[in-house]
Amino acid sequence: DREEVRELSAYNQFMLKCMSDIFSLDYILDKSGLFIESGALSASDLTELRQVLQSLVLEVRPAAVSLVDAFDYPDFVLRSVLGRKDGDVYTALWEWVQNNPRNKHK
């Protein structure tokens, strides 16, 4: 049986487009030296791209938790005390603090 293809809502399409743009801009900015050396971008272009990236990050920020949850990464991969599937943030935070080597006294 073939699964039925559902249309994405306008909001989901927008979020996916933002995420795609964020990924692309982050890559370009990370490799900016190559783009400048090749003449594809100028320093002023990079300034503008950083501004666009920042505005996109602000757009997706309210949905950040949902976006991360959508990828269904296990807690150990995220290494986040706060973003836990079981919701037991305070116990996990306390355990993390207790086990952090910086909090061990000699």
Side-chain angles (χ1 to χ4, degrees):
D1 292 308
R2 252 180 108 172
E3 285 190 44
E4 201 174 308
V5 176
R6 298 182 326 197
E7 283 191 36
L8 291 175
S9 70
Y11 177 76
N12 287 341
Q13 289 178 27
F14 175 73
M15 280 294 138
L16 287 172
K17 175 76 168 94
C18 285
M19 295 298 294
S20 173
D21 291 349
I22 287 170
F23 177 82
S24 299
L25 289 170
D26 183 64
Y27 181 83
I28 290 168
L29 291 168
D30 185 54
K31 307 291 185 199
S32 60
L34 297 173
F35 287 93
I36 288 176
E37 285 178 13
S38 71
L41 294 173
S42 68
S44 63
D45 291 332
L46 294 178
T47 300
E48 187 175 337
L49 291 178
R50 281 188 193 91
Q51 292 170 350
V52 172
L53 178 61
Q54 183 62 33
S55 69
L56 287 168
V57 168
L58 293 174
E59 286 285 343
V60 300
R61 187 176 183 184
V65 172
S66 297
L67 288 167
V68 172
D69 285 349
F71 287 98
D72 201 25
Y73 291 118
D75 290 339
F76 77 90
V77 171
L78 296 175
R79 290 190 279 164
S80 171
V81 179
L82 301 176
R84 295 182 52 92
K85 284 193 185 294
D86 63 10
D88 197 6
V89 174
Y90 298 110
T91 301
L93 184 58
W94 181 249
E95 288 174 6
W96 181 81
V97 168
Q98 294 295 316
N99 294 323
N100 188 317
R102 293 181 187 145
N103 295 324
K104 302 285 184 195
H105 299 286
K106 293 181 179 182

